[in-house]
Amino acid sequence: MSRLEDWTAQATPIDFVDKESWPVVAETLSPAIAAFARACGFDGKVGAHLLAPGPDGAPAVVLFGVEAAGARHRDPFLPGKLATSLPPGLYRLREGVSDSYSAALAFLLGGYSFSRYVAPKKERPRLCAPQDADRARIERVAAALSLGRDLVNTPANDLGPEALAEAALALAARHGAQARVIAGDALLSENFPLVHAVGRAAAQAPRLVDISFGPEEAMKVTLVGKGVCFDSGGLDIKPSSAMLLMKKDMGGAATALALADILMGSSARLLRLRVLLPIVENAISADAMRPGDIYPSRKGLSVEIGNTDAEGRLVLADALALACEEEPDLLIDFATLTGAARVALGPELPAFYTGDDSLALEIETYGRKLGDPVWRLPLWEPYDAQLEGKASNIVNVSSSAHAGSITAALFLRRFVTKPEKWAHFDLFAWNPSAKPGRPEGGEIQTARLLAELIEERAARWSVKA
């Protein structure tokens, strides 16, 4: 993972300009550089860059086009484009940079590449740490998101339930957190029947990772992440085209771990953090769960399987029930749960649900502030009746073809004791195509906004306590 370099005036400066400011900026440049820019047709177009040489031919300045201050949309990750478009060398931010923290973070994340199987094709440019931004924070967030991206990008042959659990334990050990794993038939003896039912058909046993960190008297925050390492759909098997990206079905667990990495690195004394990861592979064998099967759950509700491809909500249900037994002050779950959310909002905009309007507003506010967008969907009460079972307390899918993300969230709510302290995020965890700061492949969504939200809530809670 890329890191920032120590600041030095010898690094090539990068100036941000827009079409409106460009004529004024051009007047401040040396006549030779201004003439070179005009000859190259540079005019401050958004995303365009120009590497202008000095008298000795060496790079003198980078001019980078950004959105004007009054633009309808300003992409905080736009500077990430520089990480793939500049030649190798050392650079520093200079003029016109409105948010050096976001620019530097975007640069690091834009330079990310998944290199487990193929070495990077070329050397990346390097960036000096901005003098007016928190270098440690930038590097910590970039490292956490890169860790999450690596997990999502790793295929299931190398990241099955055992390897994902080991990655979680390694993160816990690095931060000095406590951790335990409940695996295989021990899930039944410790009352996680739904996790066991979903994962028992796979070659690697299902498991639940339980991580605890921080003083017990601090604000309690519990993160739950769906860890389905590969989803075949089970006996309701997916078509091959729908399986191509199913290595990313553990994106919820990767998000929870990335967020935990940020929080454990910055809020050790203010937070009691718990991370619960139900980890399975939804496979097919003689022991696979079947449509029509009915299983008990940790909460005591009986659950009928209407579709084996709606497995993520089942493993989350047992984990959420466990989380609620501790009565956390804030409970958040992450899951690549439904295609319905992607149809409604697309890959860039995760859907979220909560039973508290003030928490929803807080989430939306931090999302806009940090360029980590989300959109609230309703826990629409009339749809809840669609989950009522005939031979069971509840079915895992609605019989309707509509509102799939909402009914999935309503299913999860059945296992949450205090919905006003809970938020559910239905993620995509993948960039279908490359954009500035967001290479094609695995992506960690919502972790940046939630890190700041949780840290500031914990600080307020500590003062009141």
Side-chain angles (χ1 to χ4, degrees):
M1 202 285 298
S2 300
R3 292 190 177 275
L4 299 172
E5 303 283 338
D6 292 339
W7 192 92
T8 172
Q10 305 306 311
T12 303
I14 303 173
D15 292 345
F16 289 9
V17 300
D18 58 61
K19 281 199 169 188
E20 294 178 8
S21 68
W22 168 239
V24 176
V25 173
E27 293 297 323
T28 68
L29 301 173
S30 72
I33 291 178
F36 180 81
R38 285 192 293 270
C40 292
F42 180 82
D43 63 357
K45 179 182 177 181
V46 175
H49 81 280
L50 179 71
L51 182 58
D56 60 355
V61 64
V62 175
L63 302 172
F64 182 60
V66 297
E67 306 96 339
R72 177 183 294 182
H73 172 68
R74 302 186 73 187
D75 182 1
F77 276 83
L78 183 63
K81 187 174 183 179
L82 294 167
T84 56
S85 57
L86 290 178
L90 182 60
Y91 300 85
R92 59 183 171 89
L93 302 176
R94 189 171 67 175
E95 300 294 335
V97 182
S98 61
D99 183 353
S100 59
Y101 172 91
S102 294
L105 178 62
F107 191 98
L108 290 186
L109 292 176
Y112 168 87
S113 64
F114 181 57
S115 57
R116 177 165 178 167
Y117 304 99
V118 179
K121 295 181 180 180
K122 63 178 183 179
E123 182 184 351
R124 297 289 196 188
R126 296 166 291 125
L127 184 69
C128 293
Q131 294 179 298
D132 60 345
D134 186 343
R135 174 180 180 176
R137 175 77 177 188
I138 295 169
E139 292 181 335
R140 181 164 57 247
V141 172
L145 299 188
S146 296
L147 167 67
R149 286 174 172 180
D150 281 347
L151 291 172
V152 177
N153 283 323
T154 304
N157 61 304
D158 282 327
L159 195 81
E162 291 178 2
L164 180 54
E166 288 171 1
L169 294 177
L171 177 65
R174 175 154 59 85
H175 289 285
Q178 297 177 322
R180 66 186 294 248
V181 180
I182 306 166
D185 288 344
L187 289 166
L188 294 176
S189 60
E190 297 207 32
N191 196 21
F192 298 99
L194 293 178
V195 179
H196 185 271
V198 172
R200 70 189 186 196
Q204 293 183 17
R207 61 207 64 215
L208 184 133
V209 176
D210 187 348
I211 299 171
S212 297
F213 175 84
E216 294 188 8
E217 65 275 11
M219 186 181 86
K220 295 179 181 178
V221 175
T222 300
L223 311 177
V224 178
K226 172 188 169 185
V228 179
C229 294
F230 190 84
D231 181 16
S232 69
L235 291 175
D236 288 307
I237 191 169
K238 295 177 184 290
S240 60
S241 60
M243 279 194 225
L244 288 176
L245 287 182
M246 281 302 100
K247 67 178 183 179
K248 78 171 184 67
D249 212 20
M250 39 60 65
T255 302
L257 289 173
L259 176 54
D261 194 10
I262 298 171
L263 293 172
M264 289 191 288
S266 62
S267 303
R269 296 184 301 276
L270 298 177
L271 199 62
R272 177 63 175 178
L273 181 67
R274 192 179 191 187
V275 182
L276 299 173
L277 306 178
I279 300 175
V280 300
E281 180 181 349
N282 188 20
I284 299 174
S285 76
D287 199 27
M289 64 177 179
R290 298 164 288 253
D293 283 355
I294 298 176
Y295 297 97
S297 67
R298 183 176 184 85
K299 191 172 181 179
L301 298 174
S302 56
V303 181
E304 182 176 356
I305 309 304
N307 190 305
T308 63
D309 197 20
E311 84 298 331
R313 66 199 69 184
L314 297 173
V315 299
L316 288 172
D318 273 353
L320 287 169
L322 171 64
C324 290
E325 292 167 14
E326 195 180 45
E327 298 186 350
D329 298 295
L330 185 61
L331 171 60
I332 304 172
D333 77 74
F334 308 93
T336 50
L337 204 61
T338 68
R342 305 291 72 75
V343 171
L345 301 178
E348 299 177 21
L349 193 57
F352 81 96
Y353 301 81
T354 179
D356 180 36
D357 291 342
S358 62
L359 175 58
L361 179 60
E362 201 173 354
I363 290 170
E364 291 168 344
T365 299
Y366 279 91
R368 287 192 296 270
K369 171 187 172 184
L370 295 168
D372 200 3
V374 291
W375 196 266
R376 187 188 188 187
L377 292 182
L379 291 162
W380 187 245
E381 294 295 341
Y383 295 162
D384 187 69
Q386 297 176 16
L387 298 171
E388 292 295 329
K390 295 180 180 178
S392 63
N393 295 123
I394 189 173
V395 293
N396 75 326
V397 290
S398 162
S399 60
S400 170
H402 306 295
S405 180
I406 294 174
T407 53
L410 290 168
F411 178 90
L412 296 179
R413 191 183 64 171
R414 295 283 188 110
F415 298 87
V416 174
T417 304
K418 296 181 178 179
E420 70 278 6
K421 295 186 177 182
W422 163 69
H424 158 60
F425 289 86
D426 192 336
L427 313 165
F428 191 54
W430 191 264
N431 295 318
S433 58
K435 294 187 176 182
R438 291 150 291 191
E440 181 180 348
E443 188 57 281
I444 300 301
Q445 302 168 306
T446 75
R448 291 185 297 112
L449 84 87
L450 289 169
E452 290 212 11
L453 184 157
I454 291 169
E455 287 169 354
E456 295 195 18
R457 273 200 169 204
R460 295 196 301 269
W461 193 95
S462 178
V463 171
K464 291 180 181 179

PDB file of all heavy atoms in Angstrom, residues 430-460:
ATOM      1  N   TRP A 430     -18.081  -2.926  -5.091  1.00  0.00           N
ATOM      2  CA  TRP A 430     -17.353  -3.183  -6.336  1.00  0.00           C
ATOM      3  C   TRP A 430     -17.461  -1.966  -7.248  1.00  0.00           C
ATOM      4  O   TRP A 430     -18.520  -1.347  -7.342  1.00  0.00           O
ATOM      5  CB  TRP A 430     -17.958  -4.396  -7.038  1.00  0.00           C
ATOM      6  CG  TRP A 430     -17.146  -4.927  -8.181  1.00  0.00           C
ATOM      7  CD1 TRP A 430     -17.304  -4.645  -9.501  1.00  0.00           C
ATOM      8  CD2 TRP A 430     -16.043  -5.842  -8.101  1.00  0.00           C
ATOM      9  NE1 TRP A 430     -16.378  -5.327 -10.247  1.00  0.00           N
ATOM     10  CE2 TRP A 430     -15.593  -6.072  -9.417  1.00  0.00           C
ATOM     11  CE3 TRP A 430     -15.407  -6.490  -7.041  1.00  0.00           C
ATOM     12  CZ2 TRP A 430     -14.521  -6.929  -9.691  1.00  0.00           C
ATOM     13  CZ3 TRP A 430     -14.341  -7.334  -7.325  1.00  0.00           C
ATOM     14  CH2 TRP A 430     -13.916  -7.555  -8.636  1.00  0.00           C
ATOM     15  N   ASN A 431     -16.355  -1.632  -7.916  1.00  0.00           N
ATOM     16  CA  ASN A 431     -16.364  -0.609  -8.956  1.00  0.00           C
ATOM     17  C   ASN A 431     -16.395  -1.307 -10.313  1.00  0.00           C
ATOM     18  O   ASN A 431     -15.412  -1.942 -10.705  1.00  0.00           O
ATOM     19  CB  ASN A 431     -15.103   0.261  -8.871  1.00  0.00           C
ATOM     20  CG  ASN A 431     -15.034   1.061  -7.586  1.00  0.00           C
ATOM     21  OD1 ASN A 431     -16.028   1.613  -7.135  1.00  0.00           O
ATOM     22  ND2 ASN A 431     -13.854   1.115  -6.976  1.00  0.00           N
ATOM     23  N   PRO A 432     -17.493  -1.215 -11.048  1.00  0.00           N
ATOM     24  CA  PRO A 432     -17.567  -1.902 -12.346  1.00  0.00           C
ATOM     25  C   PRO A 432     -16.573  -1.348 -13.361  1.00  0.00           C
ATOM     26  O   PRO A 432     -16.160  -2.069 -14.283  1.00  0.00           O
ATOM     27  CB  PRO A 432     -19.010  -1.643 -12.809  1.00  0.00           C
ATOM     28  CG  PRO A 432     -19.752  -1.259 -11.572  1.00  0.00           C
ATOM     29  CD  PRO A 432     -18.764  -0.570 -10.692  1.00  0.00           C
ATOM     30  N   SER A 433     -16.207  -0.080 -13.224  1.00  0.00           N
ATOM     31  CA  SER A 433     -15.213   0.520 -14.105  1.00  0.00           C
ATOM     32  C   SER A 433     -14.375   1.496 -13.292  1.00  0.00           C
ATOM     33  O   SER A 433     -14.801   1.975 -12.238  1.00  0.00           O
ATOM     34  CB  SER A 433     -15.883   1.241 -15.278  1.00  0.00           C
ATOM     35  OG  SER A 433     -16.766   2.251 -14.809  1.00  0.00           O
ATOM     36  N   ALA A 434     -13.187   1.791 -13.795  1.00  0.00           N
ATOM     37  CA  ALA A 434     -12.266   2.656 -13.054  1.00  0.00           C
ATOM     38  C   ALA A 434     -12.705   4.107 -13.115  1.00  0.00           C
ATOM     39  O   ALA A 434     -13.126   4.606 -14.158  1.00  0.00           O
ATOM     40  CB  ALA A 434     -10.858   2.511 -13.618  1.00  0.00           C
ATOM     41  N   LYS A 435     -12.592   4.778 -11.978  1.00  0.00           N
ATOM     42  CA  LYS A 435     -12.829   6.211 -11.865  1.00  0.00           C
ATOM     43  C   LYS A 435     -11.731   6.783 -10.986  1.00  0.00           C
ATOM     44  O   LYS A 435     -11.040   6.034 -10.284  1.00  0.00           O
ATOM     45  CB  LYS A 435     -14.212   6.485 -11.268  1.00  0.00           C
ATOM     46  CG  LYS A 435     -15.357   6.037 -12.181  1.00  0.00           C
ATOM     47  CD  LYS A 435     -16.699   6.484 -11.624  1.00  0.00           C
ATOM     48  CE  LYS A 435     -17.813   6.098 -12.604  1.00  0.00           C
ATOM     49  NZ  LYS A 435     -19.138   6.547 -12.122  1.00  0.00           N
ATOM     50  N   PRO A 436     -11.541   8.104 -10.998  1.00  0.00           N
ATOM     51  CA  PRO A 436     -10.467   8.678 -10.182  1.00  0.00           C
ATOM     52  C   PRO A 436     -10.547   8.228  -8.720  1.00  0.00           C
ATOM     53  O   PRO A 436     -11.584   8.361  -8.071  1.00  0.00           O
ATOM     54  CB  PRO A 436     -10.702  10.182 -10.312  1.00  0.00           C
ATOM     55  CG  PRO A 436     -11.339  10.345 -11.647  1.00  0.00           C
ATOM     56  CD  PRO A 436     -12.233   9.143 -11.792  1.00  0.00           C
ATOM     57  N   GLY A 437      -9.452   7.668  -8.222  1.00  0.00           N
ATOM     58  CA  GLY A 437      -9.394   7.221  -6.837  1.00  0.00           C
ATOM     59  C   GLY A 437     -10.091   5.915  -6.565  1.00  0.00           C
ATOM     60  O   GLY A 437     -10.046   5.395  -5.448  1.00  0.00           O
ATOM     61  N   ARG A 438     -10.749   5.368  -7.584  1.00  0.00           N
ATOM     62  CA  ARG A 438     -11.546   4.158  -7.415  1.00  0.00           C
ATOM     63  C   ARG A 438     -11.271   3.194  -8.564  1.00  0.00           C
ATOM     64  O   ARG A 438     -12.031   3.129  -9.528  1.00  0.00           O
ATOM     65  CB  ARG A 438     -13.035   4.519  -7.361  1.00  0.00           C
ATOM     66  CG  ARG A 438     -13.442   5.280  -6.116  1.00  0.00           C
ATOM     67  CD  ARG A 438     -14.607   6.218  -6.364  1.00  0.00           C
ATOM     68  NE  ARG A 438     -14.219   7.331  -7.226  1.00  0.00           N
ATOM     69  CZ  ARG A 438     -14.979   8.408  -7.435  1.00  0.00           C
ATOM     70  NH1 ARG A 438     -16.149   8.513  -6.858  1.00  0.00           N
ATOM     71  NH2 ARG A 438     -14.568   9.380  -8.228  1.00  0.00           N
ATOM     72  N   PRO A 439     -10.185   2.429  -8.481  1.00  0.00           N
ATOM     73  CA  PRO A 439      -9.864   1.484  -9.554  1.00  0.00           C
ATOM     74  C   PRO A 439     -10.959   0.438  -9.709  1.00  0.00           C
ATOM     75  O   PRO A 439     -11.712   0.147  -8.769  1.00  0.00           O
ATOM     76  CB  PRO A 439      -8.555   0.839  -9.081  1.00  0.00           C
ATOM     77  CG  PRO A 439      -8.011   1.774  -8.045  1.00  0.00           C
ATOM     78  CD  PRO A 439      -9.190   2.414  -7.403  1.00  0.00           C
ATOM     79  N   GLU A 440     -11.043  -0.135 -10.898  1.00  0.00           N
ATOM     80  CA  GLU A 440     -11.998  -1.212 -11.116  1.00  0.00           C
ATOM     81  C   GLU A 440     -11.709  -2.363 -10.156  1.00  0.00           C
ATOM     82  O   GLU A 440     -10.569  -2.729  -9.919  1.00  0.00           O
ATOM     83  CB  GLU A 440     -11.899  -1.709 -12.562  1.00  0.00           C
ATOM     84  CG  GLU A 440     -12.866  -2.827 -12.892  1.00  0.00           C
ATOM     85  CD  GLU A 440     -12.750  -3.301 -14.329  1.00  0.00           C
ATOM     86  OE1 GLU A 440     -12.078  -2.617 -15.129  1.00  0.00           O
ATOM     87  OE2 GLU A 440     -13.308  -4.365 -14.657  1.00  0.00           O
ATOM     88  N   GLY A 441     -12.770  -2.913  -9.570  1.00  0.00           N
ATOM     89  CA  GLY A 441     -12.601  -4.037  -8.650  1.00  0.00           C
ATOM     90  C   GLY A 441     -13.211  -3.745  -7.295  1.00  0.00           C
ATOM     91  O   GLY A 441     -14.086  -2.886  -7.145  1.00  0.00           O
ATOM     92  N   GLY A 442     -12.751  -4.481  -6.304  1.00  0.00           N
ATOM     93  CA  GLY A 442     -13.312  -4.385  -4.964  1.00  0.00           C
ATOM     94  C   GLY A 442     -13.254  -2.976  -4.407  1.00  0.00           C
ATOM     95  O   GLY A 442     -12.278  -2.252  -4.596  1.00  0.00           O
ATOM     96  N   GLU A 443     -14.325  -2.586  -3.701  1.00  0.00           N
ATOM     97  CA  GLU A 443     -14.384  -1.262  -3.106  1.00  0.00           C
ATOM     98  C   GLU A 443     -14.988  -1.326  -1.706  1.00  0.00           C
ATOM     99  O   GLU A 443     -15.841  -2.170  -1.431  1.00  0.00           O
ATOM    100  CB  GLU A 443     -15.219  -0.319  -3.976  1.00  0.00           C
ATOM    101  CG  GLU A 443     -15.192   1.141  -3.536  1.00  0.00           C
ATOM    102  CD  GLU A 443     -13.786   1.714  -3.483  1.00  0.00           C
ATOM    103  OE1 GLU A 443     -13.071   1.431  -2.493  1.00  0.00           O
ATOM    104  OE2 GLU A 443     -13.386   2.412  -4.429  1.00  0.00           O
ATOM    105  N   ILE A 444     -14.508  -0.441  -0.845  1.00  0.00           N
ATOM    106  CA  ILE A 444     -15.046  -0.331   0.515  1.00  0.00           C
ATOM    107  C   ILE A 444     -15.859   0.943   0.597  1.00  0.00           C
ATOM    108  O   ILE A 444     -15.323   2.054   0.518  1.00  0.00           O
ATOM    109  CB  ILE A 444     -13.907  -0.332   1.552  1.00  0.00           C
ATOM    110  CG1 ILE A 444     -13.110  -1.627   1.450  1.00  0.00           C
ATOM    111  CG2 ILE A 444     -14.469  -0.147   2.957  1.00  0.00           C
ATOM    112  CD1 ILE A 444     -13.921  -2.892   1.668  1.00  0.00           C
ATOM    113  N   GLN A 445     -17.150   0.782   0.723  1.00  0.00           N
ATOM    114  CA  GLN A 445     -18.082   1.903   0.790  1.00  0.00           C
ATOM    115  C   GLN A 445     -18.565   2.098   2.226  1.00  0.00           C
ATOM    116  O   GLN A 445     -18.703   1.136   2.972  1.00  0.00           O
ATOM    117  CB  GLN A 445     -19.279   1.643  -0.136  1.00  0.00           C
ATOM    118  CG  GLN A 445     -18.884   1.427  -1.586  1.00  0.00           C
ATOM    119  CD  GLN A 445     -20.033   0.878  -2.432  1.00  0.00           C
ATOM    120  OE1 GLN A 445     -20.634  -0.143  -2.094  1.00  0.00           O
ATOM    121  NE2 GLN A 445     -20.342   1.554  -3.530  1.00  0.00           N
ATOM    122  N   THR A 446     -18.809   3.319   2.601  1.00  0.00           N
ATOM    123  CA  THR A 446     -19.399   3.767   3.877  1.00  0.00           C
ATOM    124  C   THR A 446     -18.440   3.773   5.054  1.00  0.00           C
ATOM    125  O   THR A 446     -18.749   4.360   6.093  1.00  0.00           O
ATOM    126  CB  THR A 446     -20.655   2.947   4.282  1.00  0.00           C
ATOM    127  OG1 THR A 446     -20.283   1.646   4.764  1.00  0.00           O
ATOM    128  CG2 THR A 446     -21.629   2.801   3.122  1.00  0.00           C
ATOM    129  N   ALA A 447     -17.276   3.145   4.953  1.00  0.00           N
ATOM    130  CA  ALA A 447     -16.380   3.063   6.112  1.00  0.00           C
ATOM    131  C   ALA A 447     -15.848   4.436   6.508  1.00  0.00           C
ATOM    132  O   ALA A 447     -15.690   4.728   7.696  1.00  0.00           O
ATOM    133  CB  ALA A 447     -15.224   2.104   5.825  1.00  0.00           C
ATOM    134  N   ARG A 448     -15.555   5.299   5.534  1.00  0.00           N
ATOM    135  CA  ARG A 448     -14.993   6.608   5.863  1.00  0.00           C
ATOM    136  C   ARG A 448     -16.011   7.465   6.602  1.00  0.00           C
ATOM    137  O   ARG A 448     -15.697   8.104   7.614  1.00  0.00           O
ATOM    138  CB  ARG A 448     -14.524   7.325   4.590  1.00  0.00           C
ATOM    139  CG  ARG A 448     -13.313   6.668   3.945  1.00  0.00           C
ATOM    140  CD  ARG A 448     -12.801   7.460   2.763  1.00  0.00           C
ATOM    141  NE  ARG A 448     -13.763   7.564   1.684  1.00  0.00           N
ATOM    142  CZ  ARG A 448     -14.379   8.684   1.300  1.00  0.00           C
ATOM    143  NH1 ARG A 448     -14.129   9.824   1.922  1.00  0.00           N
ATOM    144  NH2 ARG A 448     -15.232   8.681   0.284  1.00  0.00           N
ATOM    145  N   LEU A 449     -17.235   7.488   6.129  1.00  0.00           N
ATOM    146  CA  LEU A 449     -18.241   8.318   6.801  1.00  0.00           C
ATOM    147  C   LEU A 449     -18.543   7.800   8.190  1.00  0.00           C
ATOM    148  O   LEU A 449     -18.695   8.573   9.152  1.00  0.00           O
ATOM    149  CB  LEU A 449     -19.512   8.420   5.946  1.00  0.00           C
ATOM    150  CG  LEU A 449     -20.578   7.314   6.009  1.00  0.00           C
ATOM    151  CD1 LEU A 449     -21.583   7.549   7.128  1.00  0.00           C
ATOM    152  CD2 LEU A 449     -21.299   7.187   4.684  1.00  0.00           C
ATOM    153  N   LEU A 450     -18.613   6.476   8.336  1.00  0.00           N
ATOM    154  CA  LEU A 450     -18.958   5.905   9.634  1.00  0.00           C
ATOM    155  C   LEU A 450     -17.816   6.035  10.633  1.00  0.00           C
ATOM    156  O   LEU A 450     -18.052   6.167  11.839  1.00  0.00           O
ATOM    157  CB  LEU A 450     -19.362   4.443   9.470  1.00  0.00           C
ATOM    158  CG  LEU A 450     -20.713   4.247   8.788  1.00  0.00           C
ATOM    159  CD1 LEU A 450     -20.934   2.792   8.406  1.00  0.00           C
ATOM    160  CD2 LEU A 450     -21.847   4.743   9.683  1.00  0.00           C
ATOM    161  N   ALA A 451     -16.582   6.028  10.157  1.00  0.00           N
ATOM    162  CA  ALA A 451     -15.459   6.213  11.079  1.00  0.00           C
ATOM    163  C   ALA A 451     -15.561   7.560  11.766  1.00  0.00           C
ATOM    164  O   ALA A 451     -15.441   7.657  12.999  1.00  0.00           O
ATOM    165  CB  ALA A 451     -14.131   6.087  10.330  1.00  0.00           C
ATOM    166  N   GLU A 452     -15.807   8.614  11.006  1.00  0.00           N
ATOM    167  CA  GLU A 452     -15.903   9.942  11.619  1.00  0.00           C
ATOM    168  C   GLU A 452     -17.157  10.078  12.465  1.00  0.00           C
ATOM    169  O   GLU A 452     -17.136  10.682  13.540  1.00  0.00           O
ATOM    170  CB  GLU A 452     -15.851  11.022  10.535  1.00  0.00           C
ATOM    171  CG  GLU A 452     -14.488  11.151   9.886  1.00  0.00           C
ATOM    172  CD  GLU A 452     -14.173  12.563   9.445  1.00  0.00           C
ATOM    173  OE1 GLU A 452     -14.906  13.495   9.823  1.00  0.00           O
ATOM    174  OE2 GLU A 452     -13.172  12.733   8.726  1.00  0.00           O
ATOM    175  N   LEU A 453     -18.262   9.521  11.988  1.00  0.00           N
ATOM    176  CA  LEU A 453     -19.501   9.576  12.773  1.00  0.00           C
ATOM    177  C   LEU A 453     -19.314   8.898  14.128  1.00  0.00           C
ATOM    178  O   LEU A 453     -19.663   9.461  15.182  1.00  0.00           O
ATOM    179  CB  LEU A 453     -20.631   8.918  11.980  1.00  0.00           C
ATOM    180  CG  LEU A 453     -22.040   8.942  12.559  1.00  0.00           C
ATOM    181  CD1 LEU A 453     -23.068   8.781  11.436  1.00  0.00           C
ATOM    182  CD2 LEU A 453     -22.288   7.847  13.598  1.00  0.00           C
ATOM    183  N   ILE A 454     -18.754   7.702  14.107  1.00  0.00           N
ATOM    184  CA  ILE A 454     -18.580   6.943  15.347  1.00  0.00           C
ATOM    185  C   ILE A 454     -17.582   7.628  16.268  1.00  0.00           C
ATOM    186  O   ILE A 454     -17.800   7.732  17.482  1.00  0.00           O
ATOM    187  CB  ILE A 454     -18.145   5.500  15.034  1.00  0.00           C
ATOM    188  CG1 ILE A 454     -19.302   4.744  14.373  1.00  0.00           C
ATOM    189  CG2 ILE A 454     -17.690   4.767  16.301  1.00  0.00           C
ATOM    190  CD1 ILE A 454     -18.902   3.405  13.776  1.00  0.00           C
ATOM    191  N   GLU A 455     -16.483   8.121  15.717  1.00  0.00           N
ATOM    192  CA  GLU A 455     -15.475   8.789  16.546  1.00  0.00           C
ATOM    193  C   GLU A 455     -16.047  10.021  17.229  1.00  0.00           C
ATOM    194  O   GLU A 455     -15.803  10.255  18.423  1.00  0.00           O
ATOM    195  CB  GLU A 455     -14.268   9.163  15.683  1.00  0.00           C
ATOM    196  CG  GLU A 455     -13.419   7.968  15.283  1.00  0.00           C
ATOM    197  CD  GLU A 455     -12.395   8.303  14.217  1.00  0.00           C
ATOM    198  OE1 GLU A 455     -12.413   9.447  13.708  1.00  0.00           O
ATOM    199  OE2 GLU A 455     -11.568   7.432  13.905  1.00  0.00           O
ATOM    200  N   GLU A 456     -16.821  10.808  16.507  1.00  0.00           N
ATOM    201  CA  GLU A 456     -17.386  12.016  17.102  1.00  0.00           C
ATOM    202  C   GLU A 456     -18.493  11.681  18.098  1.00  0.00           C
ATOM    203  O   GLU A 456     -18.635  12.357  19.117  1.00  0.00           O
ATOM    204  CB  GLU A 456     -17.864  12.958  16.003  1.00  0.00           C
ATOM    205  CG  GLU A 456     -16.697  13.474  15.151  1.00  0.00           C
ATOM    206  CD  GLU A 456     -17.069  14.676  14.307  1.00  0.00           C
ATOM    207  OE1 GLU A 456     -18.079  15.329  14.607  1.00  0.00           O
ATOM    208  OE2 GLU A 456     -16.320  14.948  13.339  1.00  0.00           O
ATOM    209  N   ARG A 457     -19.282  10.647  17.811  1.00  0.00           N
ATOM    210  CA  ARG A 457     -20.269  10.199  18.801  1.00  0.00           C
ATOM    211  C   ARG A 457     -19.585   9.697  20.067  1.00  0.00           C
ATOM    212  O   ARG A 457     -20.032   9.990  21.180  1.00  0.00           O
ATOM    213  CB  ARG A 457     -21.123   9.074  18.210  1.00  0.00           C
ATOM    214  CG  ARG A 457     -22.323   9.531  17.430  1.00  0.00           C
ATOM    215  CD  ARG A 457     -23.340   8.417  17.302  1.00  0.00           C
ATOM    216  NE  ARG A 457     -24.608   8.897  16.778  1.00  0.00           N
ATOM    217  CZ  ARG A 457     -25.769   8.294  16.974  1.00  0.00           C
ATOM    218  NH1 ARG A 457     -25.822   7.180  17.691  1.00  0.00           N
ATOM    219  NH2 ARG A 457     -26.874   8.788  16.462  1.00  0.00           N
ATOM    220  N   ALA A 458     -18.511   8.941  19.904  1.00  0.00           N
ATOM    221  CA  ALA A 458     -17.807   8.407  21.063  1.00  0.00           C
ATOM    222  C   ALA A 458     -17.202   9.530  21.888  1.00  0.00           C
ATOM    223  O   ALA A 458     -17.198   9.475  23.139  1.00  0.00           O
ATOM    224  CB  ALA A 458     -16.713   7.435  20.603  1.00  0.00           C
ATOM    225  N   ALA A 459     -16.700  10.565  21.229  1.00  0.00           N
ATOM    226  CA  ALA A 459     -16.123  11.699  21.954  1.00  0.00           C
ATOM    227  C   ALA A 459     -17.205  12.411  22.767  1.00  0.00           C
ATOM    228  O   ALA A 459     -16.977  12.780  23.928  1.00  0.00           O
ATOM    229  CB  ALA A 459     -15.455  12.650  20.986  1.00  0.00           C
ATOM    230  N   ARG A 460     -18.376  12.608  22.170  1.00  0.00           N
ATOM    231  CA  ARG A 460     -19.491  13.249  22.887  1.00  0.00           C
ATOM    232  C   ARG A 460     -19.958  12.381  24.041  1.00  0.00           C
ATOM    233  O   ARG A 460     -20.254  12.868  25.134  1.00  0.00           O
ATOM    234  CB  ARG A 460     -20.639  13.553  21.936  1.00  0.00           C
ATOM    235  CG  ARG A 460     -20.334  14.581  20.866  1.00  0.00           C
ATOM    236  CD  ARG A 460     -21.609  15.099  20.218  1.00  0.00           C
ATOM    237  NE  ARG A 460     -22.411  14.050  19.602  1.00  0.00           N
ATOM    238  CZ  ARG A 460     -22.307  13.668  18.343  1.00  0.00           C
ATOM    239  NH1 ARG A 460     -21.409  14.245  17.545  1.00  0.00           N
ATOM    240  NH2 ARG A 460     -23.089  12.730  17.854  1.00  0.00           N
TER     241      ARG A 460
END
